[in-house]
Amino acid sequence: MKLAGNNRRILNILFTGLLIFAMVASSWKLLHIKPQENINGLVPFALREQIYLFQKSPLNRKVFVIVQGPDENSSLDYARGLQQSLLDQHLIKPGFQPSLDRMQAWLGALPFRWTAKDEQQTLTKLSAEAVDRLMAENYKKLISLEGWVLKPLLLADPLHLIDLMGQKFALLNPQTSVRYQNGFLTDATGRVHLGIYELNAIPDFAAARQMTQFFQQFSKDLPADVKAFFLGGLRYTAENVQIIQRDLWIVGTLAMLSLILIFISFLRMKQALLIYLLPLAVTPIAAWVTYWIFDGISGITLGFGSVVAGLSVDYAVYVFFALRSGQERQLITPPLKRHLFCTFTTSALCFVSLFISSVEVFRQIAVFALTGLLISLLIALYILPVYWKNLPIAENSISKSLPPKISKPFAWSLCFGVICLGVIGLFQIHFESDLNSLNATSGIFKQQYNILQNTLQGRDQEQALLFVKGRTREEALEQSERFEQQAGIPLAVNALFPSKNTAEKQVAQWRNFWNQDRVLKLQNDLEISAKKLGMVPAAFKPFIDFLTDLTQKDTADFSSIYDPFISLPNGDWAVTHMVPYSPRLLQQATRFGAILIAGSQLQQDLLKQIQQESLWVVELAFLLNFAAVTIIFRSIRKALLAFIPVLFAAGFTFACFWIFQLKINLFVLIFLPLLMGLGIDYAIFQLTRHELAPSIRTAYAPAALWVAALSTLAGFGVLIFARHSVLFMMGISSFLGIGSAMLSAQYLLPAILEKK
Amino acid sequence: MKKIIFTVCFLLFSVGVMAQDLQPAEENSLAQEIQQRFASVQTLSASFTQEKHMSLLEQPVTSAGYFAFSKDPAKIRWEYTEPFQNGFLMSEGKTFRLEEGIKKPVKNAMSSHIAAQMMMWLSFDLTELSKNYEVEYFERGVMLYPKGKITVLQKITAWFSTENPQALEKIRLDEPGGDYTLLRFLNPQINQPLKKELFQ
């Protein structure tokens, strides 16, 4: 074979050395990088901002801790015990603790948040009788045991103006049907207590594992009728990690066993081991190139891309079997080269079409696969033949035996029937629109999630998150206030976080309200009332000073209770509001330039976008491949024939989904271009073989196609045993798709290609 | 006899407690002795008088009342009878305000927090207390100094009875600025059955 002639031997050695160096250097580099776990890479560009905001929204950063007991009291007891244990283990941050300092700070914040409604309520407290009543109440509290605790606040605020701030905080909780008691949210029965906490660590795999272990330990000591668990993003991570780890172990073992079986069945030579070493050489280099281009690489790209790199063995397999056929290298080199370039082109074009997707991970996978396939091609054509110089000729049983022939009419009929079934199936199959289905969750998780849902039941309207943006925090606050005015809906956050302009106006309103006459009258009433109760009249002077202080500054910090600010990647800011969802509000927000996200709407948008992009990818891949095969074979007929395994496989797969009532998820869409590439590759193998003179057809042994297809199935198909829905969907799609493409290419296509 | 038994107080007496001018061995010995002394007390009730000495009051104000405490399950009723009838009730983790004998739920977190603090002081759970206070002994009792952020109290002093080893005579709560509250306990009843209605 002249793929690597004698005069190129030194060049080949250099090339091998360079490859080994690149492989080692890339592996070393990869050991020092952390794969991206950012969901933004998985989201279409049009929705990236929405997902980012949703992720950064105040509640999304929390962990939900739920305790369900046989009765209200025991549930509360265990909820408190659990809260304390979580704090002791430093798993959560201490929540908001009321203190006098904080209460006084809140009181100091009131002038900056003073509204007409506050004025109306305060006026009812300013009559002499009302002052007497409040002072009597204060006196009772002062001489009670807790008097020394409340004394500073009662002296600072004898009219209980702090209640006005409490009302502003109460508006932050839109779930009015949920009770907030003893520091927990409770359901109607009181048997469920829900604590919402901020995590003490970054919500990654390690934190998820630590939290899971804590709850496993804590639950051991609980009576049978008490349940304690956590939910939220961290729980999804914990569930996914557990299931994926189990899946990887099973799938890895089965894949390895399958490859060993293929090796024993078809290869059985130490030289053939090089075939399966190919992915080890290709994967790190492809990963490093991807990392270099994108300045990072997603964990999903590494996972999915590594499997794609498994395709790299195909080229080596074809070369290996061709070299063992006993044919003259000069005779088989041109068709083999043409075949491999054609196969590479079609596969590459399938991945190239992924570039039109705005999902960054798809583009990363495209680069990864293209790099991997190119290196594999070069190795298969120019390096491996050097090491496969004196291969023994294959036994007849492997190289020459053909699969049993079937008749041409039967082949056409079968193709037509399966494709028709597939078309019907395509319109009948169920598409899983719930994004949660992409998470691997246990049955217990679903039960626990229902408990949380029931606890939060009673909301009349779906809640949505409203994000109002600005170049600065201040501008975002101003925009929020403008939106509140335009939309005519109250935004609780605005009442607590006024813009500077509004705060200045409200302080002016406060000063205007607490004019000299009103303050003097109040001071007089307070002193009279104090004297009646045996209190020193001057005791309330600090309160009077507070009302008339002209040097007030707003120093209150409410972020420990609710932090509505989100810093955007472009340096802008957004203020988060929780509002009841309505289509009208969505229109208003869109017109204003704000973003309104309701869970259901976001899900629909995301699915729609991914479906649309996937369709474009498939269409483009189809067109590019058709054009490429037509050009290479210079025949439209052959190009059409090349799509028979693809159409048959698609029809068979969709028919099976329909018949077995399998719900498919969006990962099937991602798999379609790959399936197309593989189907065409198998067809090209048969087309090339068909074009060869009968005397050298043994270079294209059917066993080569078996090994190539089964090796791919060993990587993908075993995913059918995975419990994770995404991995399972990839497994079942590849098992049905690749399996049927392989069978149709092996049996149907030769029959169709036969001349009458 | 102006003495009261402090039952719960030292049941959970533990490591965080330090003895003034005592060697570690003496501290341990004293801790064990107090623990044994109070281990058997399950319930406690008594009447009390309270003197409020506050700069904002023209005269000290004296109040009177009654309290009942159960260790397990943890319950406490603290109620004034003079000059006003009010107080609080903590039962099985829930806090209520008592107004004219009527139980009202405590709505805001601040009140619950205050009630929880009072429960801790009154129950004298030294394990809990030592998280928030430095504990020192003197000849007839203990002094608690707030740690960190607790600024409304300067110190709490508790005097044990010299006649009854399971009794406390009085507690003084000193505030910054000189104001203080003095509680004197009367007619203690130890391990007597408490009426269920007290905590309902």
Side-chain angles (χ1 to χ4, degrees):
Chain A
M1 191 174 186
K2 281 190 178 174
L3 290 175
N6 289 338
N7 55 346
R8 292 188 182 170
R9 182 159 296 175
I10 295 171
L11 202 61
N12 278 324
I13 292 167
L14 281 174
F15 194 20
T16 309
L18 190 67
L19 181 75
I20 292 169
F21 173 76
M23 185 186 81
V24 173
S26 304
S27 303
W28 183 85
K29 177 79 184 164
L30 287 173
L31 287 174
H32 294 83
I33 61 164
K34 190 172 183 281
Q36 298 163 342
E37 299 298 344
N38 190 345
I39 195 173
N40 284 335
L42 284 167
V43 176
F45 182 79
L47 297 171
R48 204 166 291 169
E49 188 177 30
Q50 289 193 33
I51 296 286
Y52 179 85
L53 288 168
F54 193 73
Q55 269 196 304
K56 297 280 176 184
S57 62
L59 275 185
N60 214 38
R61 300 187 294 243
K62 309 273 182 182
V63 61
F64 297 81
V65 174
I66 297 114
V67 171
Q68 186 183 39
D71 56 60
E72 195 170 351
N73 292 333
S74 61
S75 172
L76 179 61
D77 279 348
Y78 283 109
R80 283 190 168 143
L82 179 55
Q83 183 186 49
Q84 193 54 52
S85 300
L86 286 164
L87 283 168
D88 291 345
Q89 299 285 320
H90 306 290
L91 291 171
I92 56 170
K93 288 183 182 169
F96 168 72
Q97 293 291 326
S99 71
L100 276 168
D101 290 346
R102 283 207 173 102
M103 302 292 266
Q104 283 172 325
W106 288 11
L107 184 65
L110 184 60
F112 302 90
R113 290 151 184 84
W114 186 250
T115 62
K117 193 180 160 195
D118 295 333
E119 287 184 3
Q120 284 171 3
Q121 289 193 45
T122 306
L123 281 172
T124 63
K125 297 179 175 182
L126 293 182
S127 66
E129 298 75 33
V131 170
D132 268 351
R133 196 177 59 247
L134 284 166
M135 286 294 281
E137 210 177 296
N138 293 340
Y139 178 74
K140 261 192 200 177
K141 283 181 183 165
L142 276 170
I143 65 165
S144 71
L145 186 61
E146 77 238 53
W148 45 265
V149 184
L150 296 173
K151 187 180 73 178
L153 191 63
L154 293 174
L155 289 175
D157 181 22
L159 296 188
H160 305 180
L161 295 180
I162 189 84
D163 293 349
L164 298 171
M165 285 301 293
Q167 288 170 16
K168 295 179 201 296
F169 274 106
L171 290 173
L172 283 176
N173 177 18
Q175 292 158 6
T176 47
S177 62
V178 178
R179 289 187 294 157
Y180 182 76
Q181 236 175 322
N182 302 304
F184 297 93
L185 292 171
T186 59
D187 68 345
T189 65
R191 287 178 54 223
V192 178
H193 282 81
L194 164 65
I196 302 174
Y197 308 111
E198 194 155 346
L199 284 165
N200 218 2
I202 300 162
D204 56 6
F205 291 165
R209 197 180 298 119
Q210 201 182 3
M211 189 66 90
T212 306
Q213 284 168 354
F214 169 84
F215 271 86
Q216 281 168 350
Q217 193 61 38
F218 187 85
S219 298
K220 274 183 191 168
D221 301 327
L222 293 177
D225 54 357
V226 178
K227 287 176 188 164
F229 51 90
F230 72 100
L231 291 171
L234 196 69
R235 177 64 184 275
Y236 278 112
T237 307
E239 291 268 320
N240 281 311
V241 167
Q242 276 181 351
I243 289 179
I244 288 176
Q245 279 177 342
R246 174 197 163 276
D247 282 350
L248 286 180
W249 192 86
I250 292 174
V251 165
T253 310
L254 287 174
M256 190 57 73
L257 288 173
S258 308
L259 289 175
I260 291 170
L261 204 63
I262 295 166
F263 186 86
I264 293 169
S265 305
F266 295 100
L267 302 168
R268 279 181 256 158
M269 289 176 69
K270 64 180 179 190
Q271 294 96 320
L273 284 172
L274 284 175
I275 294 172
Y276 291 117
L277 289 178
L278 210 56
L280 292 179
V282 166
T283 308
I285 301 172
W288 184 80
V289 170
T290 312
Y291 178 82
W292 179 67
I293 290 175
F294 290 91
D295 196 21
I297 186 165
S298 159
I300 292 175
T301 309
L302 279 175
F304 193 80
S306 298
V307 182
V308 171
L311 299 176
S312 57
V313 301
D314 287 11
Y315 307 140
V317 166
Y318 297 140
V319 171
F320 180 78
F321 276 92
L323 293 179
R324 288 193 67 197
S325 65
Q327 300 289 345
E328 286 294 318
R329 289 195 173 197
Q330 294 91 322
L331 283 175
I332 57 168
T333 296
L336 190 59
K337 264 188 172 180
R338 181 164 166 260
H339 165 221
L340 293 191
F341 277 120
C342 184
T343 301
F344 168 76
T345 306
T346 52
S347 300
L349 287 174
C350 285
F351 287 107
V352 162
S353 57
L354 281 175
F355 275 113
I356 63 162
S357 168
S358 64
V359 178
E360 188 179 296
V361 165
F362 291 179
R363 290 141 69 110
Q364 286 189 9
I365 289 173
V367 169
F368 191 110
L370 282 173
T371 314
L373 291 177
L374 181 63
I375 296 169
S376 308
L377 179 73
L378 295 174
I379 293 173
L381 283 176
Y382 299 109
I383 294 183
L384 291 179
V386 177
Y387 300 97
W388 286 339
K389 273 207 159 170
N390 300 310
L391 290 178
I393 295 170
E395 298 161 20
N396 281 352
S397 60
I398 293 178
S399 67
K400 292 177 183 164
S401 66
L402 293 172
K405 282 186 179 176
I406 56 172
S407 72
K408 194 168 183 171
F410 177 75
W412 274 118
S413 309
L414 192 61
C415 272
F416 185 72
V418 168
I419 291 168
C420 284
L421 270 177
V423 171
I424 299 168
L426 189 61
F427 292 100
Q428 298 292 325
I429 50 177
H430 299 282
F431 196 87
E432 181 58 83
S433 57
D434 184 3
L435 283 184
N436 282 334
S437 70
L438 298 183
N439 281 299
T441 51
S442 57
I444 293 172
F445 173 87
K446 288 176 182 92
Q447 284 173 18
Q448 294 175 347
Y449 189 76
N450 285 339
I451 293 173
L452 176 68
Q453 290 289 86
N454 292 335
T455 307
L456 298 178
Q457 247 181 14
R459 289 174 290 176
D460 299 333
Q461 240 177 317
E462 185 185 5
Q463 297 296 311
L465 291 169
L466 173 72
F467 301 92
V468 185
K469 294 183 288 182
R471 276 169 296 175
T472 59
R473 280 165 74 126
E474 194 51 34
E475 193 181 297
L477 288 172
E478 285 169 4
Q479 288 289 88
S480 277
E481 288 163 358
R482 259 179 233 129
F483 182 76
E484 184 175 11
Q485 281 178 348
Q486 280 187 22
I489 55 155
L491 297 177
V493 169
N494 288 354
L496 283 170
F497 298 88
S499 66
K500 275 184 187 155
N501 282 339
T502 305
E504 277 172 21
K505 282 180 199 161
Q506 286 171 333
V507 168
Q509 206 173 334
W510 163 276
R511 287 176 186 152
N512 186 44
F513 181 81
W514 293 110
N515 56 47
Q516 201 179 5
D517 292 346
R518 185 168 277 148
V519 172
L520 278 176
K521 182 187 173 299
L522 175 64
Q523 188 172 9
N524 188 44
D525 289 345
L526 282 172
E527 286 178 1
I528 291 169
S529 192
K531 200 148 187 64
K532 277 189 224 166
L533 294 162
M535 296 161 82
V536 177
F540 297 97
K541 182 78 172 43
F543 175 62
I544 299 297
D545 290 343
F546 163 67
L547 296 178
T548 53
D549 184 9
L550 296 176
T551 61
Q552 291 150 337
K553 282 186 181 166
D554 187 8
T555 54
D557 177 17
F558 303 120
S559 58
S560 62
I561 303 170
Y562 184 84
D563 185 359
F565 297 104
I566 297 175
S567 164
L568 301 175
N570 64 355
D572 287 358
W573 287 84
V575 177
T576 317
H577 304 270
M578 204 174 282
V579 290
Y581 177 77
S582 72
R584 185 170 164 265
L585 188 64
L586 178 62
Q587 280 179 356
Q588 286 174 318
T590 310
R591 267 205 307 272
F592 190 82
I595 295 173
L596 185 76
I597 303 175
S600 57
Q601 187 64 40
L602 180 64
Q603 196 158 295
Q604 279 175 21
D605 290 349
L606 188 58
L607 284 172
K608 197 173 148 191
Q609 193 70 29
I610 289 183
Q611 277 173 333
Q612 199 176 42
E613 288 198 1
S614 304
L615 200 64
W616 290 343
V617 168
V618 172
E619 286 169 357
L620 184 67
F622 182 86
L623 288 173
L624 290 175
N625 273 296
F626 188 77
V629 180
T630 307
I631 292 166
I632 292 167
F633 284 95
R634 291 175 195 151
S635 160
I636 291 178
R637 180 180 163 271
K638 284 187 179 171
L640 287 170
L641 288 172
F643 276 88
I644 283 180
V646 178
L647 294 173
F648 183 88
F652 183 76
T653 307
F654 286 125
C656 287
F657 284 152
W658 167 47
I659 291 163
F660 296 107
Q661 297 285 304
L662 286 169
K663 276 189 176 179
I664 63 168
N665 60 33
L666 56 89
F667 270 78
V668 171
L669 303 175
I670 296 161
F671 188 75
L672 285 176
L674 181 65
L675 182 62
M676 188 185 296
L678 286 167
I680 295 172
D681 284 356
Y682 302 153
I684 290 170
F685 178 90
Q686 292 293 17
L687 287 170
T688 308
R689 182 176 186 281
H690 186 74
E691 280 186 345
L692 292 176
S695 59
I696 57 166
R697 273 189 192 171
T698 50
Y700 274 71
L705 193 58
W706 286 126
V707 173
L710 290 173
S711 300
T712 309
L713 265 184
F716 276 117
V718 290
L719 291 174
I720 201 169
F721 296 101
R723 273 176 61 198
H724 195 288
S725 61
V726 170
L727 296 178
F728 172 78
M729 195 41 69
M730 284 165 64
I732 191 81
S733 306
S734 60
F735 183 77
L736 296 171
I738 299 173
S740 54
M742 172 183 74
L743 293 172
S744 62
Q746 196 76 285
Y747 293 101
L748 300 181
L749 196 55
I752 289 168
L753 287 170
E754 282 295 313
K755 288 177 184 169
K756 281 182 185 174
Chain B
M1 184 174 71
K2 289 184 177 179
K3 287 168 190 171
I4 193 164
I5 311 218
F6 244 89
T7 48
V8 214
C9 344
F10 298 105
L11 294 175
L12 298 170
F13 195 84
S14 69
V15 233
V17 183
M18 302 189 323
Q20 192 177 32
D21 299 322
L22 293 176
Q23 296 302 312
E26 289 174 312
E27 276 178 37
N28 288 339
S29 161
L30 185 60
Q32 281 175 5
E33 189 267 317
I34 292 170
Q35 207 163 2
Q36 283 167 6
R37 205 197 305 166
F38 291 99
S40 61
V41 183
Q42 293 298 315
T43 65
L44 167 69
S45 60
S47 52
F48 66 83
T49 62
Q50 173 194 282
E51 286 171 27
K52 278 271 181 188
H53 297 258
M54 298 169 92
S55 58
L56 72 96
L57 296 172
E58 288 174 336
Q59 296 293 327
V61 177
T62 303
S63 313
Y66 167 89
F67 88 92
F69 183 89
S70 154
K71 189 177 80 178
D72 191 16
K75 295 172 184 178
I76 188 166
R77 182 185 181 106
W78 181 275
E79 190 168 17
Y80 295 94
T81 49
E82 290 173 23
F84 304 106
Q85 192 182 355
N86 62 10
F88 74 92
L89 171 68
M90 275 191 92
S91 176
E92 294 170 353
K94 286 185 183 173
T95 312
F96 301 93
R97 179 168 290 285
L98 297 168
E99 293 286 351
E100 308 288 334
I102 297 167
K103 196 171 80 172
K104 294 179 178 174
V106 166
K107 284 179 188 167
N108 63 58
M110 181 73 181
S111 299
S112 291
H113 184 67
I114 291 168
Q117 288 289 307
M118 288 168 66
M119 173 83 163
M120 186 172 71
W121 292 321
L122 291 169
S123 68
F124 234 79
D125 179 346
L126 284 182
T127 305
E128 281 303 307
L129 283 172
S130 60
K131 289 178 187 169
N132 298 307
Y133 300 90
E134 297 289 349
V135 184
E136 283 185 5
Y137 289 111
F138 64 100
E139 197 183 338
R140 284 184 54 205
V142 291
M143 281 191 287
L144 307 170
Y145 292 92
K147 288 178 187 171
K149 292 177 183 172
I150 304 171
T151 52
V152 285
L153 276 182
Q154 198 171 45
K155 71 172 175 184
I156 302 170
T157 314
W159 284 267
F160 297 104
S161 165
T162 47
E163 294 171 13
N164 187 337
Q166 290 182 303
L168 196 75
E169 186 182 324
K170 59 186 177 184
I171 297 180
R172 178 171 156 145
L173 308 165
D174 280 285
E175 301 165 39
D179 290 353
Y180 68 92
T181 305
L182 188 63
L183 293 162
R184 297 175 193 278
F185 301 103
L186 312 159
N187 305 322
Q189 303 290 316
I190 303 164
N191 289 341
Q192 298 298 312
L194 298 172
K195 288 179 185 171
K196 281 186 180 174
E197 307 88 78
L198 282 173
F199 303 111
Q200 285 175 347

